[in-house]
Amino acid sequence: MLRPLQDIFAPERYPDLLVGLAAADDAAVYRLDDDRAIVATTDFFPPVIDDPYDFGAIAAANALSDIYAMGGEPLFAMNLVAFPDDADPAVLREILRGGAEMVASAGAVIAGGHSVSDREPKYGLAVIGTIDPARVMTKGGARVGDQLALTKPLGVGVVTTALKGGTAAPEHVAEAVRWMKRLNKDAARAAREAGATAMTDVTGFGLLGHAHEMAHLGHVGIRLAAGRLPWLPGARAYAEGGAFPGGTHRNFDYYHPWVKFDPALDAVLRNMLWTPETSGGLLIALPEEALPGFLNRHPEGRHVGEIVDGDGHLTLVA
């Protein structure tokens, strides 16, 4: 007789699995002893931009971000590759070079990987890191009264969709690529040093999806100030032109029951907030008294909201 999945993965059966499927987070954490734990994640996707080197670097930064979001440091990574048999191998070499150099800049190393033949190229990493088991940073640690900071501008999804449609200005694409290639390493360290209580990275579920996860797992609510949110240059104009990726609608369908918008916020801005991000910034909850210290350590961060009473609900104010 087959055992139910909930029995196979029951947390009490694996006491050293500190973060697993019980409360889904950015990465898994497995305790080795009182002082050491392994943090592990995997992520891959098809190209979001045309340049193969930049695509490899962005995909690597995106995968590494999950390690940083948990408060860990990466040790090594394994390439995950899908590539057409009849495509130019020089393109694949550039993708892998971009990924390897990004991993090296994180202080880690590519140690191997696996590839399959596929009609559409895809690239990413499985990443292994280390973490102090007493200092694991989960999504669910935020407390009422904490303040929220965001460490990268939003709008990657609409800029890259405009690029695919041939309407994106080169300078706007370059700025989006610059931010996607920026590791969340320094932001995560600054957050830990400032005493952050919860952290997650903003990627495929968009700002609102990831904020809901933080609120839901912490049994709190979140109030976001839309006027404080940072946006990439050109993002608003591309959104007004309808450059939304398909994931925008999926995020809306799944998360909209949890979100209440100020009537003053127009439809374009609302849709932008549902849009997936790639290699986005960290959404960080900090005690109110710790926020100035974090912003001093990481001046690119923006104060965008606060933790309030609730149970997974988000309120967007103008």
Side-chain angles (χ1 to χ4, degrees), residues 41-63:
T41 188
T42 184
D43 205 322
F44 64 97
F45 48 76
V48 293
I49 57 169
D50 297 329
D51 184 271
Y53 176 90
D54 283 341
F55 166 54
I58 289 166
N62 185 79

Side-chain angles (χ1 to χ4, degrees), residues 292-304:
F294 169 74
L295 295 177
N296 184 58
R297 290 180 178 91
H298 194 73
E300 292 174 333
R302 296 290 181 270
H303 179 206
V304 297

